[in-house]
Amino acid sequence: MAGASRFGLLINTAIMKPIELSFEFFPPKTAEGVEKLRATRAQLLMHKPRFVSVTFGAGGSTQQGTLDTVAEIAKEGVDAAPHLSCIGATRDSLRDILSQYRSHGIRHIVALRGDLPSGMGEMGELRYASDLVAFIREETGDAFHIEVAGYPEYHPQARSPRHDLEAFAQKVKAGADSAITQYFFNADAYFRFVEDAKKLGVDIPIVPGIMPITNYSQLMRFSEMCGAEVPRWVAKRLESFGDDRESIRAFGLDVVTDLCRRLVDAGAPGLHFYTLNTAGATKAICERLAL
Ligand code: FAD
């Protein structure tokens, strides 16, 4: 159960701990985008996240942008975690990136396999995220807190649900400290995933990834790509609003706030928001939850 403490902080009374927040950004490509992200951060940092993370274009396409963005955020005194993917990379190139992160005082990383951008042929020297986690541990010991990805509705390329869970457990065995899930709108998928992972010996925090709903076609496109299910009743309602962005926003806010409340009430250790570099919807959800 969740309850508001006298300081207005939402406490997970199942574990008597404050709900830990984290916010995900992508590295902006233009000077305008950099300014926009600064403004977004200024609004979201008021919610005192445990950390923020910055995505990485698989194949290294955003390598400098990710580094510049985390370095700027870290200078503001915030725990900034770059994502790092191994697909298409060599051990040497990964070693170099890890060393750059360390030289900027970065101590937190989100380790992924990534997806090969179309047109890029080489798979790289490490095959799976579990190989990358093992590599980071071999190279840097305990220098980084390592997050990995989890898939309550299963990864789209998984051979089977069982196989995907075992692959997840493998990443944890390789040395991950905590996990962030792909977004989902079906809380039961997350609860079941956490239970099943526990049965495989996984005892790290598994933080649900939350996608605020603000745009119907974008949501359907992303969900198709990453294998997240948008429930029919949600898709139908969103579709029916057409270009009425205000109704999409209001309905999306209700749906996602209810989902977060359910997750927190059932003991989720935190909430990780996919902000898409905008503050509005994430901030509104946090405010409704009194976070
Ligand atoms: P893995 O854990 O390696 O799994 C990939 C697939 O391989 C799964 O189907 C799994 O079942 C299978 N598998 C794993 N191990 C084995 C094995 N030993 N044998 C056989 N099969 C195996 N993408 C980006 O490009 N940049 C980002 O910044 C980024 N950030 C993300 C953040 C989060 C929180 C999440 C959930 C996803 C993110 N992604 C990002 C997307 C991610 O890169 C893709 O989902 C990618 O397809 C899989 O990455 P992974 O780390 O989960 O891979």
Side-chain angles (χ1 to χ4, degrees):
M1 291 294 291
S5 78
R6 46 197 271 264
F7 305 108
L9 197 66
L10 195 74
I11 301 283
N12 187 326
T13 49
I15 50 175
M16 290 311 284
K17 275 185 167 174
I19 306 301
E20 294 191 323
L21 293 178
S22 48
F23 301 125
E24 182 171 310
F25 305 123
F26 60 82
K29 288 203 179 90
T30 60
E32 202 185 10
V34 170
E35 281 310 321
K36 184 183 168 203
L37 179 55
R38 283 181 187 143
T40 293
R41 276 203 317 271
Q43 292 192 58
L44 291 179
L45 290 182
M46 291 191 309
H47 294 278
K48 307 249 176 293
R50 182 168 69 87
F51 72 98
V52 304
S53 78
V54 179
T55 60
F56 182 89
S61 57
T62 69
Q63 187 174 323
Q64 191 60 42
T66 301
L67 176 66
D68 292 346
T69 310
V70 285
E72 178 175 326
I73 298 174
K75 267 198 208 145
E76 295 165 358
V78 177
D79 179 357
H83 296 205
L84 177 61
S85 66
C86 61
I87 207 156
T90 60
R91 285 187 178 79
D92 279 348
S93 66
L94 292 166
R95 199 172 282 124
D96 187 47
I97 296 173
L98 289 169
S99 138
Q100 289 191 41
Y101 287 156
R102 285 182 81 174
S103 71
H104 282 83
I106 303 296
R107 296 288 176 265
H108 198 156
I109 204 160
V110 183
L112 303 144
R113 183 198 70 178
D115 293 306
L116 211 53
S118 56
M120 260 188 76
E122 295 292 319
M123 291 301 284
E125 292 179 3
L126 304 180
R127 191 142 185 216
Y128 298 111
S130 54
D131 302 326
L132 177 61
V133 174
F135 178 77
I136 297 172
R137 286 286 176 238
E138 272 161 37
E139 291 285 321
T140 66
D142 288 334
F144 291 100
H145 176 105
I146 304 180
E147 311 267 350
V148 288
Y151 299 85
E153 295 177 326
Y154 309 111
H155 186 264
Q157 291 156 8
R159 277 186 222 158
S160 69
R162 178 80 201 167
H163 193 269
D164 207 34
L165 266 162
E166 283 167 0
F168 176 68
Q170 184 61 34
K171 293 193 268 198
V172 178
K173 251 200 198 146
D177 297 294
S178 43
I180 303 166
T181 75
Q182 183 56 276
Y183 71 85
F184 55 86
F185 298 103
N186 181 351
D188 290 324
Y190 167 79
F191 300 142
R192 177 57 68 118
F193 178 74
V194 171
E195 277 311 303
D196 288 347
K198 267 190 198 152
K199 286 181 197 152
L200 293 180
V202 171
D203 61 356
I204 60 168
I206 301 177
V207 174
I210 304 296
M211 178 65 90
I213 300 176
T214 54
N215 181 316
Y216 169 67
S217 52
Q218 184 191 52
L219 177 73
M220 299 310 279
R221 199 172 62 247
F222 284 178
S223 305
E224 179 65 32
M225 280 190 305
C226 71
E229 184 184 54
V230 181
R232 183 180 158 84
W233 66 275
V234 174
K236 285 274 170 200
R237 282 289 292 276
L238 290 171
E239 188 183 20
S240 76
F241 295 132
D243 293 334
D244 177 359
R245 298 182 71 176
E246 199 35 55
S247 296
I248 292 174
R249 191 182 172 280
F251 175 70
L253 198 54
D254 282 349
V255 169
V256 179
T257 306
D258 286 351
L259 171 68
C260 292
R261 200 169 278 126
R262 251 197 100 191
L263 294 167
V264 167
D265 280 353
L271 298 170
H272 178 86
F273 285 91
Y274 296 108
T275 71
L276 304 180
N277 288 11
T278 59
T282 299
K283 193 169 172 52
I285 295 166
C286 291
E287 281 167 0
R288 280 202 189 179
L289 292 168
L291 285 170

